[in-house]
Amino acid sequence: SCPRTGTGHRIFTGRRPDVPGRHPASGTPGGGTVRRPGALPVAPLPVDEKLDEKSRALYRNARLPFCQSTAMNVQKIFREQRAVIVEGWINAVYATYPLQTTGFLRTKNDPFTNPVGDMTKEAAGLIYDVIAGEHVTPQKIKHALDRFVRLRAVQQYTPSQGLGVFFLMKPLLREHILPLCQEKEDLAEYLDAESRLDSVTLLAFDLYSAARETLAETRIAEIRNQHAQLVRWAQSVDGSPVSGKS
């Protein structure tokens, strides 16, 4: 059965019994298990249906397995819902800021005057693309996450508030994507998408921890520098206990 759908469809690896002497992937006489280079196995015809030769030929020449075709349909759903979900997540992130700041974030599009909005929009688009299963290089998503997470790390948020925004994506997915996947009876692809969101959140947690450590080390270095300056000033004052002068 298909590992994605659990239906009775299986992937062909040999000769199809209802077309004697012809391999379903290669389309050449003689059968066997050798496929045309680059061709993928196709799902079999339902044995209880009578199809004409034209339909059989279309089925034989199909390039995608049944499971992969289903995955492509779900990916199409993700692409169609991209704009509304990305916009919804951006607004959810903006809602975590003070009310007087939210209007500025939403209206200013210049990345120089509104770096918070620019970083949030960049992260939102790439996070969604990763969740949807689009091809995004690890370097690209890590760069966008690092900018966004560093921003959250230096602001007055607890760790749960700083990283909790990633979980605000799930209600949007369940509202806009899950019902459509249920209509197609393919929840496996949707569950994979939520798993990818969890992976992105874990990566963000690592980046957040590193950013907080860097921030703490910077503050410690500043305190040490200030202490060293005070010591040098005290040593330069005549009569100071640490001046070394009598």
Side-chain angles (χ1 to χ4, degrees):
S1 65
C2 176
R4 288 289 186 201
T5 63
T7 63
H9 293 273
R10 60 186 177 84
I11 302 301
F12 264 111
T13 56
R15 181 187 304 171
R16 195 175 67 205
D18 58 335
V19 184
R22 186 174 293 274
H23 187 271
S26 65
T28 55
T33 58
V34 180
R35 296 191 186 96
R36 180 172 62 251
L40 293 173
V42 297
L45 293 170
V47 295
D48 57 343
E49 295 182 12
K50 301 297 183 181
L51 301 180
D52 56 22
E53 185 57 30
K54 181 179 180 180
S55 299
R56 293 178 184 275
L58 290 174
Y59 225 91
R60 283 199 301 270
N61 294 329
R63 291 302 185 105
L64 294 176
F66 180 83
C67 298
Q68 191 170 350
S69 298
T70 306
M72 292 296 290
N73 291 334
V74 174
Q75 192 172 48
K76 182 180 178 181
I77 293 174
F78 274 94
R79 290 172 179 172
E80 292 173 347
Q81 299 297 321
R82 185 182 191 277
V84 63
I85 294 179
V86 168
E87 184 66 22
W89 189 76
I90 291 173
N91 289 332
V93 174
Y94 288 168
T96 64
Y97 292 97
L99 182 62
Q100 62 271 22
T101 307
T102 305
F104 175 81
L105 295 176
R106 290 176 175 170
T107 56
K108 300 297 183 180
N109 296 321
D110 187 0
F112 295 100
T113 59
N114 185 13
V116 175
D118 180 66
M119 294 178 188
T120 302
K121 291 176 182 178
E122 179 189 21
L126 288 175
I127 290 171
Y128 185 83
D129 289 342
V130 171
I131 294 171
E134 302 287 356
H135 177 68
V136 180
T137 63
Q139 295 80 7
K140 193 172 183 180
I141 182 62
K142 186 176 181 180
H143 174 72
L145 277 179
D146 189 55
R147 294 182 68 211
F148 178 74
V149 167
R150 282 178 182 272
L151 176 68
R152 304 287 291 184
V154 300
Q155 294 169 334
Q156 299 300 317
Y157 292 118
T158 63
S160 61
Q161 292 172 332
L163 295 177
V165 292
F166 290 94
F167 296 104
L168 298 178
M169 182 72 79
K170 284 190 177 182
L172 296 170
L173 294 175
R174 293 171 183 176
E175 178 184 356
H176 298 283
I177 301 294
L178 180 57
L180 299 176
C181 290
Q182 288 176 325
E183 290 179 4
K184 294 185 176 295
E185 298 182 351
D186 187 5
L187 294 180
E189 290 294 331
Y190 174 80
L191 294 176
D192 286 346
E194 284 207 354
S195 296
R196 288 190 286 269
L197 174 58
D198 294 337
S199 298
V200 169
T201 305
L202 291 175
L203 175 59
F205 181 82
D206 290 340
L207 297 173
Y208 185 89
S209 298
R212 292 297 288 254
E213 289 177 3
T214 301
L215 181 61
E217 291 172 357
T218 302
R219 289 174 177 172
I220 292 173
E222 290 177 354
I223 293 173
R224 286 176 176 172
N225 290 335
Q226 292 173 357
H227 179 266
Q229 290 176 359
L230 288 174
V231 171
R232 287 194 295 269
W233 174 81
Q235 289 174 344
S236 66
V237 177
D238 293 338
S240 171
V242 295
S243 64
K245 299 178 182 180
S246 56

